[in-house]
Amino acid sequence: MCRHLGWLGAPVSVSSLLLDPPSGLLVQSYAPRRQKHGVVNADGWGVGFFDGAVPRRWRSASPIWGDASLASVAPALTSGCVVAAVRSATIGMPMDASAAAPFSDGEWLLSHNGVVDRAVLPVSPAAESVVDSAQLAALIFDRGLHTLGDTVSEVGLADPSARLNILAANGSRLLATTWGDTLSILRRCDGVVLASEPYDDHPEWRDVPDRHLVDINGADVTLTPLTAYERPRKRKVPPR
Ligand code: GLN
């Protein structure tokens, strides 16, 4: 399982979110504290941030700890909305930068922490990679992020062994789901962090319960339980 992180708030540097915290994504890439699936996250990384309304991305297929430029550039990358991830590739999935989150449709940045059987997903020509996460991202983009909770519930029912922790942002909104893996939230005075696991030992980190949708709009944080659909199992999820 990968580890991901989202930020919505005042402009802050990418290094302050990923590199500086004692257990930030950099450290989580080789010493995650709560990872249940996989050991290290060495199969690539990506950081996406909004520059006004424009999502910009920097992705790599190499371990984040070996990047020669990130530590130098990250302090100069500032944004009020960031989605970043370090990757532990699922067996059989491609190993190039296009398979690393965040994925984008030009409006949203999206990371998937988990695994899903691609056979239950519709084939999407818009997917950025054949990796399961990109195929799932394409379905979510196609359905619209306003249906994120429903789409995740439906995919989770079609593939009961799927893990579907999603993190998505559009510059003014941060959305997430928990479906099979950990997610924590930290409300700071300058914004909100969502992360697969806390990046430090601040006492105000809170765990998000499993099978929930998190919706962050400005300083408003809403948690909604995801309800299961009564649908036949291992059925293909139809496009709409
Ligand atoms: N299944 C995705 C991949 O192969 C995500 C893996 C993960 O969450 N570790 O990249």
Side-chain angles (χ1 to χ4, degrees):
M1 294 292 265
C2 312
R3 305 277 81 186
H4 55 207
L5 172 140
W7 167 257
L8 186 65
V12 296
S13 72
V14 165
S15 52
S16 73
L17 295 171
L18 272 56
L19 309 182
D20 303 342
S23 290
L25 279 190
L26 171 63
V27 173
Q28 288 174 32
S29 71
Y30 56 84
R33 298 189 291 176
R34 295 200 180 173
Q35 192 151 338
K36 295 188 284 189
H37 305 273
V39 180
V40 293
N41 299 288
D43 300 321
W45 58 274
V47 56
F49 55 93
F50 283 85
D51 173 14
V54 181
R56 302 197 185 279
R57 292 182 289 172
W58 181 2
R59 297 184 293 162
S60 165
S62 300
I64 192 171
W65 66 74
D67 194 274
S69 306
L70 183 62
S72 162
V73 176
L77 299 177
T78 59
S79 176
C81 187
V82 176
V83 174
V86 289
R87 181 177 181 221
S88 168
T90 300
I91 290 169
M93 296 297 158
M95 298 292 291
D96 61 291
S98 69
F103 304 99
S104 182
D105 63 350
E107 186 182 348
W108 289 83
L109 294 168
L110 185 148
S111 171
H112 168 225
N113 171 199
V115 59
V116 59
D117 181 353
R118 289 173 290 184
V120 307
L121 302 175
V123 176
S124 170
E128 294 184 282
S129 162
V130 296
V131 69
D132 58 349
S133 303
Q135 303 282 325
L136 178 61
L139 175 68
I140 293 168
F141 292 146
D142 185 53
R143 293 263 184 103
L145 270 290
H146 60 285
T147 70
L148 177 63
D150 288 347
T151 303
V152 163
S153 302
E154 200 175 331
V155 172
L157 215 83
D159 176 6
S161 54
R163 298 190 299 271
L164 302 166
N165 279 39
I166 300 290
L167 185 59
N170 70 350
S172 59
R173 204 147 160 223
L174 188 57
L175 299 173
T177 58
T178 51
W179 193 284
D181 210 310
T182 54
L183 184 74
S184 298
I185 181 167
L186 177 65
R187 302 178 76 153
R188 302 187 348 190
C189 56
D190 58 345
V192 184
V193 187
L194 286 176
S196 302
E197 56 186 56
Y199 60 48
D200 62 14
D201 291 330
H202 195 291
E204 281 172 28
W205 283 100
R206 296 283 175 268
D207 294 342
V208 177
D210 197 34
R211 300 203 174 189
H212 274 68
L213 174 72
V214 188
D215 186 345
I216 301 172
N217 207 336
D220 295 336
V221 178
T222 314
L223 260 69
T224 315
L226 293 175
T227 49
Y229 284 54
E230 290 308 318
R231 295 258 176 98
R233 302 202 149 182
K234 280 282 179 193
R235 182 183 156 197
K236 200 159 175 122
V237 177
R240 279 190 191 133

